Amino acid sequence: MLIETHAHLDYPDFAPDFDDVVRRANEAGVTRIITIGTSVESSRRAVELAEKYPAVYAAIGFHPSYVEEAAEDVISPLRELAKSPRVVAIGETGLDYHHLPSVEAAKQKNVQVFSRALQAETEDEVEAQVRDGAYKARQAELFEQQLDLAAELGLNVVIHQRDAWDDTLAVLEPYQTKVRGVFHCFGGSLEQAEQVIAMGHLVSFTGIVTFKNGAAVRDVSARIPLDKFMVETDCPYLAPVPYRGKRAEPAHTRIVAEAIAAARGITLEQIAAVTTATAEAFFKFER
Ligand SMILES: [Zn+2]
């Protein structure tokens, strides 16, 4: 028995064969699936799916990459959605500096981005930096608001972090005793994994552990304590080998677990038992 802790089942990729996707997961021993909201609308769809399918549960949240489309108040609708007993966590939330507005604007203009270390010389560059600052500040604000909501509701959070490690930990700091997080799709170093584990958080691994170039992450998954991580697919993205490039789906959680079992030299059953117990303690399945 495995729990798929991070799927995006509300994405249109799954609409054509949703029932088959859930059935294949079940056949692979993936008995529970947490579908993750990335906006208010996506969270609403996640709750609807969780209310319809007994194997599906929902996490509701607002993804940092979409903050520029966020309404002024995303917390009130999320709080309303959280009334559903099928909601087991808040997220995904966090910080993502990979697509800063200045970088995206530069790509469109097809000009080179100057290192931030260089002094901004043109008005355009100054404006881009101001916009980046506002974008980061808005991400931090939404992250904090969702941490507050999680604390208020007694839920844990699913954290998305990309190119923003230090700032993510800084935002989390004051919530130490109130909220625990899972650093989903973990891709950091062993030291970083140990750092967040020491803070009481968890990490979770995707199909990257099966990739040829995933040796570093695979190694981290083999070396951290067995009870400090969970498994996921982040489907429809990151399909594991041998499905790379195709649509990932929750059934592939088993392949992720098998890869980690092999890396640790233990059985799939051992991985399944411990990651399931970890997920049961982290997510609020019974409300
Ligand atoms: Zn995700």
Side-chain angles (χ1 to χ4, degrees), residues 96 123 127 211:
D96 188 326
E123 224 168 89
E127 207 169 290
F211 293 0

Side-chain angles (χ1 to χ4, degrees), residues 6 8 92 184 234:
H6 198 113
H8 294 287
E92 56 190 296
H184 112 86
D234 201 14

Side-chain angles (χ1 to χ4, degrees), residues 255-267:
I255 302 173
V256 174
E258 281 169 347
I260 298 172
R264 298 184 74 104
I266 61 176
T267 65

Side-chain angles (χ1 to χ4, degrees), residues 104-170:
E104 297 304 304
K107 265 191 221 150
Q108 276 171 20
K109 281 195 212 159
N110 204 17
V111 298
Q112 210 177 347
V113 188
F114 292 92
S115 154
R116 289 187 57 209
L118 291 173
Q119 209 178 348
E121 279 170 12
T122 70
E123 224 168 89
D124 272 5
E125 286 164 20
V126 173
E127 207 169 290
Q129 287 189 8
V130 169
R131 201 162 158 223
D132 285 354
Y135 176 78
K136 289 182 181 178
R138 182 68 174 132
Q139 286 197 357
E141 180 182 36
L142 278 177
F143 186 17
E144 279 175 3
Q145 288 176 350
Q146 291 177 80
L147 286 162
D148 286 337
L149 180 64
E152 172 192 324
L153 299 171
L155 295 172
N156 288 322
V157 294
V158 177
I159 297 169
H160 172 102
Q161 182 286 130
R162 194 172 185 196
D163 298 344
W165 182 258
D166 292 340
D167 285 0
T168 301
L169 294 194

